[in-house]
Amino acid sequence: MDIKRITSGLLGFPLVLIILLIGNKYVVDILLTIVALLAMDEYLNAISKVCKPIRWVAYLSCISIAIVHLVPKESISTITTLAIPTILLVLFAHIIATNMKITFKDVAYTFLGIFYVVFFMMFVALIDGMENGKILIWYAIFAAWGTDIFAYFIGKKFGKHKFSKVSPKKSIEGCIAGTIGAILIILIYTYFINTYFNLNYSYIYIGIMAIILSLIGQIGDFVASSIKRYVDIKDYSNLIPGHGGMLDRIDSLIFLAPFAYVFFTLL
């Protein structure tokens, strides 16, 4: 049993719980910005093994999460639409400004990190700002971390069949158990909020959502692992004992967040 992993999880969860339950959307946005900056730094350090990332653009882009709820709702889609080509414009301008010392590969890897960390993380902030966002955001968290917890413990105990060379420690048994565990947690959570918060969420809809989000989250985990494999590192950092870096901890959550947001708009 990994004592460091369990201890850091038990210490970290109450802090996340307090901020998400008590903090308003602006406080949560600031928290997510800090998380994004930590994750971005880890990503840039990782890819610096194979390219020269344009750090200042990547770091600056993280600040957009802190101001997402300062922008009028009707303008968010327009600003987001403009932000993506603007970021690309600024990144490609470096190729000209540095006389090709910055290359297309540097631009591509940097842009991928901005889209992967910042754009995906922004959906976590958007979920928190929705009607009943304080309730809905836990569906995303349970889908990600519930899957991770069940996959880790069941896979460690009963895992016999390896899932992929991308992440050799993961087993088919663990992946299946992770999804089943996430479904159970989410359905129990739905019963609780339907009963005590006078809501009427469909168990069938929530169950289907739980399956899809759990599977997407696991793909997100493999995405993070594939990047680590490519640059030949074990963890993004040692920030969280037993878990690795911030990006190791949130890889599933940020990947499923955009899909969770769409599910919640249809709920």
Side-chain angles (χ1 to χ4, degrees):
M1 185 176 292
D2 194 330
I3 301 298
K4 284 185 177 180
R5 186 183 182 96
I6 295 172
T7 303
S8 60
L10 290 175
L11 292 175
F13 185 78
L15 177 61
V16 173
L17 178 65
I18 291 170
I19 293 175
L20 289 179
L21 289 180
I22 298 177
N24 61 30
K25 59 186 177 182
Y26 304 110
V27 172
V28 173
D29 290 349
I30 293 172
L31 169 68
L32 294 175
T33 299
I34 295 170
V35 170
L37 283 166
L38 292 170
M40 181 62 74
D41 187 61
E42 292 171 349
Y43 171 82
L44 295 175
N45 289 338
I47 65 169
S48 64
K49 292 176 175 289
V50 294
C51 73
K52 293 178 289 186
I54 306 165
R55 289 178 177 267
W56 76 269
V57 179
Y59 292 136
L60 190 61
S61 68
C62 295
I63 307 301
S64 61
I65 299 173
I67 62 174
V68 67
H69 285 115
L70 297 177
V71 177
K73 286 185 178 180
E74 60 272 15
S75 302
I76 288 180
S77 60
T78 302
I79 292 175
T80 303
T81 302
L82 285 174
I84 294 172
T86 301
I87 291 170
L88 271 175
L89 179 69
V90 173
L91 290 174
F92 274 109
H94 280 70
I95 298 177
I96 301 170
T98 61
N99 198 26
M100 294 290 289
K101 289 180 181 178
I102 294 293
T103 67
F104 170 74
K105 183 171 77 169
D106 303 326
V107 169
Y109 280 48
T110 304
F111 182 72
L112 174 63
I114 293 171
F115 205 84
Y116 176 42
V117 176
V118 179
F119 187 72
F120 283 16
M121 178 72 79
M122 193 172 291
F123 280 94
V124 180
L126 291 174
I127 291 169
D128 183 72
M130 297 176 75
E131 183 181 356
N132 294 325
K134 295 295 182 189
I135 291 173
L136 295 175
I137 197 169
W138 287 98
Y139 279 118
I141 292 173
F142 289 144
W145 292 354
T147 300
D148 286 348
I149 292 169
F150 277 86
Y152 175 77
F153 285 106
I154 300 300
K156 198 174 182 67
K157 183 76 174 177
F158 301 105
K160 303 295 183 184
H161 302 87
K162 300 303 179 185
F163 192 90
S164 170
K165 291 182 180 179
V166 174
S167 190
K169 291 185 178 181
K170 290 182 173 59
S171 65
I172 294 175
E173 291 85 353
C175 291
I176 294 172
T179 298
I180 293 173
I183 294 169
L184 290 175
I185 292 174
I186 285 173
L187 288 178
I188 292 170
Y189 176 65
T190 303
Y191 173 78
F192 174 81
I193 62 175
N194 277 352
T195 303
Y196 295 100
F197 290 88
N198 199 29
L199 296 172
N200 190 31
Y201 292 157
S202 165
Y203 290 99
I204 295 176
Y205 183 86
I206 293 296
I208 294 171
M209 180 189 75
I211 295 171
I212 295 173
L213 292 183
S214 175
L215 294 175
I216 291 173
Q218 292 190 60
I219 294 172
D221 198 320
F222 281 108
V223 168
S225 295
S226 68
I227 297 172
K228 289 187 289 186
R229 280 268 171 191
Y230 183 64
V231 298
D232 194 27
I233 58 174
K234 182 179 181 294
D235 294 315
Y236 282 102
S237 76
N238 59 359
L239 178 67
I240 308 173
H243 292 274
M246 182 61 70
L247 194 50
D248 293 293
R249 183 71 295 214
I250 65 170
D251 52 8
S252 299
L253 177 62
I254 61 174
F255 209 83
L256 64 79
F259 300 91
Y261 178 79
V262 173
F263 274 118
F264 298 154
T265 58
L266 300 175
L267 188 61

